[in-house]
Amino acid sequence: MANKKEINSSILQMNASDTQTGEWDNLQPYAYWLGNINGVGRATAKKLLEVFASPMEVYSAGEKALSQVVNSTVAEAIIEAQKQEIRAPHEALLEKNIRFIPFYHPDYSKRLQDIPDAPYALYVKGELPADDKRSVAIVGARNCSAYGRYVAETFAKELARQDIQIVSGLAAGVDGLAQNAAIEAGGQTYGVLGCGVDICYPAYHKPLYEKVIESGGMISTYPPGRQPQPVLFPPRNRIISGLSDVVLVVEARKKSGTLITVDMALEQGREVYVVPGRITDRLSDGCNNLLRQGAGAALSPEQFMQELEETVWREEGEKTRTDKTSASQKNPNISNIKSSFNAKLQTSNLLPQEKALLALLDFYPISLDQIYMTAQTTPILCELTLSQMMEMLLMLSMQGFVNNEGGYYMLKKPV
Amino acid sequence: MFSVIFSGGIRGMEAYLVRVEVDLSRGLPGFELVGSVSGEVKEAKERVQIALKNAGVSLPVARITVNLSPANIKKEGTGYDLPIATGLIICMENIEAAQFAMTAFLGELTLNGEIKRVNGVLPAALALKKQGIERMVIPKENVGECRKVPGMEIVGLEHITELITYLKATEEERKLRVVQKEENVTAHGKADVDFSEVCGQETAKRAAEVAAAGFHHIMFAGPPGAGKTMIAERIPGLLPPLTQKEKLEVSSIYSIVGKLQNGQELVDRRPFIAPHHTISPQALAGGGRIPRPGLLSLAHRGILFLDEMPEFSSDVLEVLRQPMEAKKVQIARSQGIYTYPADFMLVCAMNPCPCGYYPDKNKCNCSETDIRRYLGRISGPILDRIDIVTEASPVTIQDFHQKHTGETTGTIRKRVMAARKLQKIRYQGTSYHFNGELSGREVEKFCPLGSKEQKFLEQVAENGQMSARAYHKVVKLARTIADLAGEEVIGTNHLAEAVCYNSGRKRFWN
């Protein structure tokens, strides 16, 4: 009861500066308790905290006081929950290295605080994206094509090199590929899950899951142990867009979960950029549609960053300039980026036949048969036997020009 | 009166001599059949009595005892009708039984005295010849399969009256009933299919050629309608014709399961067995209370084609493992172990994903998990035994418009035969016949690599184009490819092609 008196103003009005960390820590078990009462959702919890000064107050409130804020069923649920042990569950959480960050906490993401219906709390393994660093979400088809794979990896790599945080959903396809590429480029990447942060979904992404936690962090609004369910994923897309300044879409079908992220992003006032695809390509239907509706076109990492520099990040840039006086520090010289995206492959060492063979390939998988058939109508290649072509393709694969995916061949990089 | 007549019994693939002893003695009239007989053999009593009556022979009022010796082996089947009837006639007509000491009788009787075909006559003939039997009296319908057994005279009968005439005749007259070996052979089997009918699919065709040359098990992955089945059906044509010895081997199995119908001669084509994916493990491997050969044995010396392989139940697929290694099926029963040969070439086909269109993303919407689960139905050990995993790519309209310039089965077979000849020389004096049979250490012994080639393979593996466990597979495949090219030494070009046939595998084990 002594504690209760010390907190004289509502926790919502407190600043990190005028409170000592110890006090936040004291409140944490109560905040965790409030976030995990059956029947008390994000809105109710926030409403309660507008009336009661802190979660601890809610914990010790009587039924009468509660009934003034919430309806009787919820009040009863809270009264029932007040009988629970308060510290042990939170300590168990800490033991698993999972942090619980309620929305009023200074560690809570500023970006998320701005979005409508910001979650009551985040469960974090590792870190949250830094508020003062740029952050881009890269999302797209799970079942992406080689083109999608290449684009996602290239963008993620280049952005990560410019110290931009990559936020995504750890899903198969574009999400996971982008995060992996960001880690390989030495950048920071953050995964937002549709299940508890202690669960790796999809399970075969376990190595990536570990690496993401090491490089950045794993974030979820669901308590640990919550199994992935289809209904949990659309709300998590809201967090992906919320944690970033821009959402970049790489490959999406006409009806794609990625488009939910886009809707959320627009609702939250985030920019949406899209990588265009061929109009004959069903995996790019969603992207091309977004372009038609006025989304920004991401044609290369340089152009993408340049445009963002002029729009989204300009204000922020100006702000920093006044803070730090040195503009050059903040503005990376984007034109100097040595991107591999537009640089052509060095094919000068190849034989004429090998060059001609490369010219037959594409970013889309082509079967050996199709290559062979086309080759027979190409003057320089028509003499090749099937075996010779297999040998040549193997050589090109080993030199990194070509990817062989089970008998289908495709370009690894633009030629 | 007492007589002894010989017949044959089948146990597994083995046949044994059976003495059919008939005794007529005074006493209370009756008919007793002893000698560890099963249900259907016991019924012979009724069939024989009535068939004889209807043929105008009435049984004497006497006590009839028939013993099938050796009496400790369970007798199965309906083939004992004819020898029992023979024994009775000999006793009743006072014929000298010693004349038939070198003759075996086998056949089923109907009530009106007709002699019907029985299963397993061919293996019986092969085995009885070794026991000193020189002539067999069998149903006419069974003559075809036995005619080619060297050193065995065959007499084919249709009715019990013919039997009586035969028994009463002199040896010279009897000799005239022996079937002439040179008699016309009627051709059986469907019209030939040819590789030139396959449009496009050059990779798959080439892979089939390599597989046939080295007896490598092969898998085709490709979308529906790509022609996987079409190619598989044509692989038997690439294999050399069955030798006389192989024909007898294969035909024996077919004889046991009763697949040599309508007087068919020996099986003269390589078998092509394509079970449906709902097949049970027993039907595939063989089984039953009295074991019978399964489809694995029917595919002996031929092709076992598993279409839609992931649809087979895992029990069925695991059954393949041991026979693929041992080249035979062993079935244990309390009476003993039955062994059936099963030396087949496995050809399987599958879709690359549940919908079948992967990696065409415009058509395929299978999630990665779906694909993993689908491909995962084929276990590692099975996949380990398959040397070639190749893609059959979708067929386009242009493929059909292209003129039929594809090679004919005959042209490809010439190359295959040449490659097989080289292997015959290489494996002379060993237990191996083909490159595909080698494993581990033998690969290193029979398929040595030069240092340059060795280094090349190491680079390929380091580059991630080939997994380490595929090493031996690649080397023996390269050996076959070199054999096809008629080259003594395995070159990097052969290795490169072999690596390509293993690239499909990467998808399964990632």
Side-chain angles (χ1 to χ4, degrees):
Chain A
M1 286 299 117
N3 253 346
K4 198 174 133 192
K5 289 219 170 117
E6 274 174 40
I7 300 167
N8 38 23
S9 65
S10 165
I11 193 144
L12 301 184
Q13 270 99 56
M14 277 199 285
N15 285 323
S17 49
D18 50 50
T19 327
Q20 275 152 21
T21 33
E23 279 179 39
W24 295 108
D25 286 349
N26 278 341
L27 283 177
Q28 279 298 75
Y30 297 94
Y32 180 57
W33 166 81
L34 183 57
N36 283 286
I37 300 172
N38 241 344
V40 178
R42 151 173 40 94
T44 318
K46 284 186 176 175
K47 200 158 108 193
L48 281 165
L49 286 186
E50 272 165 23
V51 177
F52 297 92
S54 76
M56 199 195 278
E57 300 268 312
V58 181
Y59 181 67
S60 51
E63 189 166 3
K64 204 174 158 201
L66 287 170
S67 304
Q68 284 169 357
V69 189
V70 293
N71 67 37
S72 58
T73 342
V74 178
E76 269 167 39
I78 296 173
I79 296 294
E80 188 60 34
Q82 282 172 354
K83 294 170 191 158
Q84 287 167 9
E85 163 66 36
I86 206 87
R87 290 196 184 274
H90 182 248
E91 269 160 26
L93 193 69
L94 293 179
E95 245 162 59
K96 285 192 221 162
N97 272 327
I98 297 170
R99 286 198 293 154
F100 178 82
I101 307 177
F103 69 100
Y104 54 78
H105 199 278
D107 289 350
Y108 193 80
S109 168
K110 296 280 173 302
R111 285 189 179 93
L112 274 189
Q113 266 169 353
D114 295 341
I115 70 169
D117 294 337
Y120 167 74
L122 298 172
Y123 295 86
V124 182
K125 235 179 149 163
E127 299 295 325
L128 275 171
D131 290 326
D132 55 351
K133 270 178 150 189
R134 297 160 176 195
S135 156
V136 171
I138 300 183
V139 292
R142 268 171 302 169
N143 198 351
C144 65
S145 69
Y147 166 71
R149 162 188 286 260
Y150 173 71
V151 170
E153 285 177 347
T154 315
F155 269 84
K157 201 162 64 190
E158 292 305 335
L159 295 178
R161 279 197 193 136
Q162 298 306 316
D163 204 20
I164 294 171
Q165 311 173 100
I166 306 295
V167 181
S168 197
L170 201 82
V174 169
D175 288 23
L177 290 167
Q179 297 198 280
N180 204 27
I183 293 168
E184 272 170 21
Q188 273 119 41
T189 178
Y190 301 87
V192 185
L193 296 177
C195 52
V197 278
D198 54 344
I199 292 171
C200 175
Y201 179 83
Y204 60 86
H205 266 171
K206 191 78 185 167
L208 177 62
Y209 171 88
E210 303 288 352
K211 280 195 283 183
V212 168
I213 292 174
E214 212 172 286
S215 111
M218 206 53 77
I219 299 145
S220 173
T221 55
Y222 305 111
R226 175 72 59 88
Q227 293 296 325
Q229 280 167 5
V231 294
L232 302 184
F233 283 80
R236 85 82 206 245
N237 291 357
R238 187 167 61 96
I239 312 298
I240 296 183
S241 55
L243 284 173
S244 34
D245 307 323
V246 193
V247 172
L248 175 66
V249 183
V250 181
E251 288 205 310
R253 285 175 194 269
K254 208 172 213 161
K255 288 179 183 169
S256 160
T258 307
L259 301 183
I260 299 176
T261 316
V262 170
D263 285 344
M264 301 288 184
L266 294 175
E267 204 175 288
Q268 296 160 355
R270 307 286 192 253
E271 279 294 320
V272 174
Y273 271 76
V274 165
V275 179
R278 296 188 193 184
I279 57 170
T280 51
D281 198 355
R282 298 288 78 81
L283 260 170
S284 288
D285 279 350
C287 290
N288 290 341
N289 248 335
L290 286 172
L291 281 176
R292 190 173 144 265
Q293 288 164 17
L299 304 181
S300 72
E302 303 88 274
Q303 169 264 346
F304 175 63
M305 281 188 269
Q306 189 77 52
E307 272 192 42
L308 289 178
E309 211 61 60
E310 286 160 11
T311 54
V312 184
W313 289 331
R314 192 174 60 185
E315 294 163 34
E316 178 201 344
E318 278 164 3
K319 206 164 48 188
T320 333
R321 251 193 295 282
T322 49
D323 288 352
K324 291 192 179 166
T325 63
S326 158
S328 58
Q329 241 181 352
K330 187 67 200 174
N331 266 336
N333 200 344
I334 286 168
S335 51
N336 277 354
I337 297 175
K338 287 267 188 301
S339 163
S340 64
F341 195 77
N342 291 330
K344 286 192 175 180
L345 274 178
Q346 279 300 316
T347 55
S348 49
N349 292 336
L350 296 180
L351 300 168
Q353 278 192 328
E354 291 179 320
K355 275 189 204 168
L357 193 57
L358 269 188
L360 299 183
L361 300 178
D362 202 333
F363 268 109
Y364 297 83
I366 305 179
S367 74
L368 189 56
D369 262 355
Q370 282 162 308
I371 302 172
Y372 182 61
M373 287 234 304
T374 333
Q376 282 185 320
T377 56
T378 315
I380 188 171
L381 296 172
C382 60
E383 296 288 303
L384 280 182
T385 65
L386 193 62
S387 320
Q388 284 170 326
M389 219 168 69
M390 288 187 195
E391 189 186 356
M392 205 173 269
L393 282 167
L394 178 66
M395 294 304 174
L396 289 172
S397 310
M398 285 170 64
Q399 289 169 54
F401 293 112
V402 173
N403 236 345
N404 172 2
E405 208 174 274
Y408 286 78
Y409 292 84
M410 56 201 146
L411 285 181
K412 225 169 176 177
K413 288 168 185 173
V415 181
Chain B
M1 282 301 297
F2 173 77
S3 74
V4 175
I5 286 296
F6 292 99
S7 185
I10 301 279
R11 192 175 165 283
M13 283 294 289
E14 314 284 302
Y16 54 91
L17 195 65
V18 176
R19 273 163 61 99
V20 180
E21 303 165 348
V22 180
D23 177 75
L24 296 185
S25 48
R26 280 187 218 164
L28 208 54
F31 196 143
E32 208 52 56
L33 181 55
V34 295
S36 193
V37 291
S38 71
E40 63 259 36
V41 181
K42 234 172 218 151
E43 292 161 1
K45 225 157 59 173
E46 310 302 326
R47 284 194 295 268
V48 169
Q49 288 186 64
I50 297 171
L52 282 172
K53 185 204 87 185
N54 287 340
V57 183
S58 49
L59 287 176
V61 183
R63 181 170 185 78
I64 303 167
T65 311
V66 177
N67 176 37
L68 304 183
S69 154
N72 61 342
I73 302 177
K74 190 95 172 165
K75 314 295 179 311
E76 320 266 0
T78 52
Y80 298 106
D81 295 4
L82 192 65
I84 293 172
T86 309
L88 278 170
I89 294 167
I90 287 174
C91 282
M92 291 181 315
E93 306 282 338
N94 270 325
I95 299 169
E96 178 63 49
Q99 305 174 69
F100 306 108
M102 299 297 204
T103 309
F105 295 79
L106 209 59
E108 178 186 326
L109 290 176
T110 64
L111 295 188
N112 61 1
E114 280 173 39
I115 300 170
K116 288 308 223 183
R117 67 176 300 283
V118 288
N119 293 345
V121 176
L122 176 57
L126 289 170
L128 294 183
K129 198 195 78 190
K130 288 183 199 149
Q131 310 259 2
I133 297 291
E134 285 168 0
R135 184 179 295 175
M136 279 183 85
V137 177
I138 56 172
K140 194 149 198 178
E141 290 169 77
N142 285 111
V143 168
E145 57 185 278
C146 292
R147 174 151 69 185
K148 291 286 165 62
V149 177
M152 182 65 87
E153 294 178 340
I154 299 295
V155 177
L157 301 180
E158 273 178 313
H159 200 271
I160 200 161
T161 47
E162 284 180 68
L163 175 71
I164 298 168
T165 326
Y166 177 83
L167 294 175
K168 286 181 174 172
T170 62
E171 176 55 27
E172 280 72 43
E173 285 167 334
R174 281 199 291 264
K175 193 118 197 166
L176 292 176
R177 296 296 313 247
V178 172
V179 178
Q180 298 302 306
K181 305 252 164 182
E182 300 75 34
E183 264 177 50
N184 248 356
V185 179
T186 42
H188 288 274
K190 51 188 171 178
D192 248 338
V193 287
D194 198 282
F195 258 101
S196 59
E197 295 153 5
V198 182
C199 301
Q201 301 297 3
E202 296 302 327
T203 327
K205 277 196 258 183
R206 167 74 180 165
E209 175 184 339
V210 175
F215 207 86
H216 300 282
H217 303 303
I218 182 171
M219 171 187 277
F220 296 104
K228 293 166 293 202
T229 313
M230 206 173 168
I231 293 170
E233 277 171 352
R234 282 158 179 75
I235 294 179
L238 293 184
L239 304 172
L242 289 167
T243 62
Q244 191 61 28
K245 189 170 156 253
E246 286 176 326
K247 275 186 197 172
L248 289 175
E249 253 177 61
V250 176
S251 305
S252 293
I253 304 165
Y254 279 69
S255 174
I256 288 175
V257 295
K259 289 250 176 189
L260 294 176
Q261 297 278 9
N262 306 325
Q264 188 188 342
E265 304 249 340
L266 299 185
V267 175
D268 54 357
R269 275 162 208 281
R270 299 231 168 230
F272 180 81
I273 302 290
H276 189 252
H277 58 73
T278 52
I279 191 173
S280 69
Q282 289 77 17
L284 192 68
R289 192 180 56 81
I290 307 145
R292 268 166 58 96
L295 292 186
L296 293 186
S297 303
L298 291 185
H300 181 58
R301 303 278 179 214
I303 307 277
L304 179 74
F305 177 51
L306 302 185
D307 204 355
E308 307 292 352
M309 197 179 188
E311 304 292 340
F312 283 81
S313 79
S314 59
D315 293 353
V316 170
L317 291 180
E318 294 313 301
V319 155
L320 288 173
R321 281 164 63 173
Q322 191 257 342
M324 280 171 82
E325 203 82 341
K327 305 196 182 300
K328 60 189 176 195
V329 178
Q330 288 191 316
I331 302 167
R333 288 291 178 271
S334 54
Q335 303 100 308
I337 291 172
Y338 295 75
T339 305
Y340 298 109
D343 188 2
F344 55 85
M345 180 174 148
L346 179 68
V347 178
C348 34
M350 61 181 289
N351 292 336
C353 70
C355 82
Y357 291 102
Y358 183 87
D360 184 349
K361 293 282 159 88
N362 283 345
K363 284 188 185 165
C364 169
N365 203 5
C366 302
S367 76
E368 197 150 322
T369 330
D370 288 343
I371 298 178
R372 271 164 202 270
R373 198 176 300 137
Y374 183 74
L375 297 181
R377 290 189 203 161
I378 299 168
S379 68
I382 292 290
L383 215 50
D384 252 346
R385 288 168 170 79
I386 299 174
D387 289 345
I388 303 181
V389 180
T390 188
E391 296 285 322
S393 54
V395 176
T396 57
I397 294 289
Q398 286 96 306
D399 289 337
F400 291 119
H401 288 323
Q402 279 207 336
K403 283 191 200 111
H404 283 233
T405 48
E407 289 179 301
T408 62
T409 299
T411 327
I412 306 174
R413 185 168 55 212
K414 264 186 208 134
R415 291 199 295 267
V416 171
M417 301 275 268
R420 289 204 155 194
K421 210 168 165 188
L422 288 174
Q423 294 173 62
K424 200 173 173 186
I425 298 166
R426 180 174 313 127
Y427 298 119
Q428 216 156 33
T430 69
S431 61
Y432 302 104
H433 301 93
F434 303 110
N435 299 332
E437 297 171 22
L438 303 180
S439 62
R441 209 180 309 138
E442 291 92 42
V443 174
E444 277 159 35
K445 185 176 162 202
F446 290 107
C447 316
L449 292 182
S451 60
K452 182 177 146 226
E453 286 74 24
Q454 188 83 41
K455 199 148 179 229
F456 171 76
L457 261 197
E458 276 163 25
Q459 278 171 352
V460 172
E462 270 169 35
N463 202 270
Q465 304 295 328
M466 174 187 103
S467 67
R469 67 194 296 179
Y471 177 85
H472 287 126
K473 264 191 264 297
V474 166
V475 174
K476 65 184 180 184
L477 261 184
R479 183 64 265 171
T480 305
I481 295 165
D483 284 345
L484 275 171
E487 289 188 34
E488 192 86 3
V489 184
I490 303 176
T492 51
N493 52 337
H494 306 134
L495 288 168
E497 190 178 339
V499 169
C500 277
Y501 293 133
N502 266 278
S503 59
R505 189 182 302 279
K506 277 199 294 187
R507 285 225 306 272
F508 295 93
W509 280 327
N510 272 348

